[in-house]
Amino acid sequence: MLEYLPEISGKEKRAGDGGPLDVLIDFYHAFNSGDMKGLEAVWFDGEAPSMDNPIGGIRRGWASIAEGYAKLFGGAARVNVTFHDFTSQGGEDWYLFVGRERGVCWTPETRLDLAFRTTRWFVRIDSRWRQLHHHGSVEDPTMLAAYQRLIFAAN
């Protein structure tokens, strides 16, 4: 288990060791800032990574994942999330974070509180930790429908 943090928004102080917790913090900083270069630095490149969530569906390969982020960041809706209520476990070359995200999606006209279940899997190759897989899901179908309307209507 890594050092305990109650939540991660991307604003936390990094350990500076390039470990999986640092990379997780880097992910949330890049996502919440709409920073594509930062996301690219966190994710594996090539065809290996995958992502599955209610907005982007199943995406395989960094190019497809990047396309999904670009659509999200290019629309009128903005999203900001914090990772919380999570556990972590890992080995020498893999690390898994399982928890929840809470946050907000907003447009100039609307604000929606968000709640997701989230899994992020990181692996170490060539002494560098990078995200290999993300899975996000929603427990509340009403919130999901409202979120999809906001995101898809804004793009």
Side-chain angles (χ1 to χ4, degrees), residues 18-47:
L21 184 58
D22 276 2
V23 180
L24 183 68
I25 291 168
D26 290 345
F27 169 82
Y28 281 97
H29 181 266
F31 180 83
N32 288 329
S33 302
D35 176 4
M36 287 297 294
K37 290 212 179 281
L39 288 171
E40 184 176 12
V42 168
W43 277 93
F44 257 86
D45 55 5
E47 296 304 311

Side-chain angles (χ1 to χ4, degrees), residues 31 51-59 64-65 67-75 77-79 81 101 105 112 114-117 134-138 141-155:
F31 180 83
M51 179 166 61
D52 183 4
N53 67 44
I55 295 300
I58 296 175
R59 293 184 175 268
S64 179
I65 292 168
E67 177 186 350
Y69 285 132
K71 284 181 182 177
L72 178 65
F73 298 153
R78 296 291 172 249
V79 178
V81 293
E101 289 173 334
C105 176
L112 176 67
L114 303 173
F116 305 108
R117 292 179 296 202
H134 158 68
H135 182 263
S137 60
V138 176
T142 304
M143 188 221 68
L144 173 58
Y147 181 52
Q148 288 174 329
R149 277 191 305 274
L150 270 177
I151 294 298
F152 295 140
N155 284 320

Side-chain angles (χ1 to χ4, degrees), residues 79-129:
V79 178
N80 188 283
V81 293
T82 299
F83 191 54
H84 71 106
D85 187 23
F86 65 92
T87 60
S88 64
Q89 57 190 353
E92 192 173 305
D93 59 358
W94 65 276
Y95 223 88
L96 182 67
F97 295 92
V98 178
R100 299 178 182 276
E101 289 173 334
R102 63 178 164 231
V104 63
C105 176
W106 72 95
T107 66
E109 301 82 29
T110 307
R111 175 188 159 93
L112 176 67
D113 290 329
L114 303 173
F116 305 108
R117 292 179 296 202
T118 300
T119 301
R120 297 192 181 279
W121 180 28
F122 295 83
V123 295
R124 182 169 57 183
I125 300 222
D126 298 330
S127 300
R128 185 169 174 212
W129 289 95

